[in-house]
Amino acid sequence: MITLYKSPPLWGLPSLSPPCLKLETWLRIANIAYDIEIPKDFTKAPKGKVPFIDYEGKLIGDSTLIIEMLKEKEGIDPDRDLTSTEKAISLAFRRMLKENTYWGEVYIRINIEENWQVFKQTLNNIYFAGSSTPESEQFLQQVRSSISNQIDQQGIGRHSEKEISEIINADFQALSDYLADKPFFMGHKPTNLDATAYGYIANIILPPFKSLIIDRVSQYKTIDQYCERMKQAFFPDYLPS
């Protein structure tokens, strides 16, 4: 049995972390059984963050590396029937979601003050049992400062919210155009791209945050319907909270 260490469920999502939700979605697509642990600190995390897993007594970090390892060890690959061209398209979309779309998502939670207050309380509830102390306030401010610096260094944080909304909207337009009327991104069967797409898209459009970015991307009904299909297919046990 695999033990999955992840961020907790919230807002009807199995995890408030896109990489955690990506990995858990992949495990369900691959029909691999797992237990769940919600760590309060990341001292034993191989990469210093979630998700990570305990597999045959060994701790392994990073969602992408974990998936590649499990594909080899378990002999399961949802992409096995794809052509080389389809695999290339899948990789390009996955990289877009992880390396571009993700940073717009982080900007929404960290850099917009109203959203930060909501997210800050969420983190406080998870790691400090909802109790606000000088120590918790200092820790959470350090978290915000660190992540805000990462957003700035990546580049997207140097743009205005309106400019970022245009950048992320282009990602969603590409996703919507490619998905079209297919049940899953690569056709009638879920693949590795669906695990990544659901993990990152749902974590933008479902949490209770407000921004120009969300206003734009929430208009893609094709994407909304896709997220609902993924939820019903793989996470019917998670209810809104």
Side-chain angles (χ1 to χ4, degrees):
M1 178 68 74
I2 293 170
T3 299
L4 168 64
Y5 294 82
K6 66 168 189 171
S7 294
L10 194 65
W11 308 310
L13 292 164
S15 176
L16 55 81
S17 158
C20 291
L21 182 50
K22 162 195 165 184
L23 177 56
E24 189 169 5
T25 303
W26 189 90
L27 289 170
R28 294 199 174 200
I29 289 173
N31 198 28
I32 295 176
Y34 60 95
D35 287 329
I36 292 174
E37 292 284 346
I38 308 295
K40 294 297 183 181
D41 66 73
F42 305 143
T43 53
K44 71 175 186 178
K47 304 289 183 179
K49 59 182 181 179
V50 288
F52 61 100
I53 66 170
D54 185 325
Y55 181 78
E56 297 181 346
K58 182 178 180 181
L59 297 178
I60 303 166
D62 187 88
S63 61
T64 298
L65 297 180
I66 291 168
I67 288 171
E68 291 303 312
M69 182 276 295
L70 290 174
K71 283 163 58 177
E72 178 182 352
K73 295 288 188 180
E74 299 292 326
I76 299 172
D77 184 2
D79 285 0
R80 61 184 175 277
D81 295 329
L82 299 184
T83 67
S84 58
T85 299
E86 288 172 331
K87 289 178 181 179
I89 292 169
S90 172
L91 176 61
F93 270 122
R94 283 182 279 134
R95 290 283 169 82
M96 179 192 79
L97 286 160
K98 293 188 295 181
E99 305 299 337
N100 191 70
T101 314
Y102 170 75
W103 289 104
E105 184 171 331
V106 176
Y107 175 91
I108 291 169
R109 299 184 182 192
I110 300 297
N111 283 28
I112 298 176
E113 184 63 31
E114 180 181 359
N115 296 335
W116 165 247
Q117 294 304 320
V118 174
F119 193 50
K120 174 184 171 184
Q121 186 59 52
T122 297
L123 296 177
N124 193 54
N125 291 341
I126 294 170
Y127 297 109
F128 298 99
S131 177
S132 181
T133 65
E135 291 76 15
S136 66
E137 286 290 328
Q138 181 181 15
F139 173 80
L140 292 171
Q141 189 53 48
Q142 289 174 344
V143 168
R144 187 186 195 189
S145 178
S146 174
I147 298 176
S148 185
N149 286 336
Q150 293 176 42
I151 297 169
D152 189 68
Q153 291 168 5
Q154 188 272 343
I156 206 166
R158 306 185 186 203
H159 302 309
S160 69
E161 186 180 353
K162 184 176 184 298
E163 290 169 333
I164 296 171
S165 74
E166 294 295 332
I167 292 169
I168 304 305
N169 181 69
D171 291 356
F172 271 71
Q173 182 70 64
L175 289 162
S176 179
D177 289 345
Y178 191 76
L179 177 62
D181 60 355
K182 300 190 297 292
F184 302 105
F185 273 98
M186 306 310 294
H188 291 285
K189 295 180 180 180
T191 63
N192 295 332
L193 175 55
D194 292 291
T196 302
Y198 183 63
Y200 286 77
I201 294 171
N203 261 290
I204 287 183
I205 65 177
L206 293 184
F209 299 128
K210 298 177 181 178
S211 77
L212 294 173
I213 303 165
I214 296 172
D215 290 345
R216 288 291 300 275
V217 303
S218 294
Q219 296 177 14
Y220 291 94
K221 299 305 179 186
T222 301
I223 299 297
D224 284 342
Q225 293 165 3
Y226 167 78
C227 284
E228 183 59 27
R229 283 197 303 276
M230 288 294 292
K231 175 179 171 57
Q232 293 301 322
F234 298 105
F235 295 101
D237 47 326
Y238 283 87
L239 300 174
S241 57

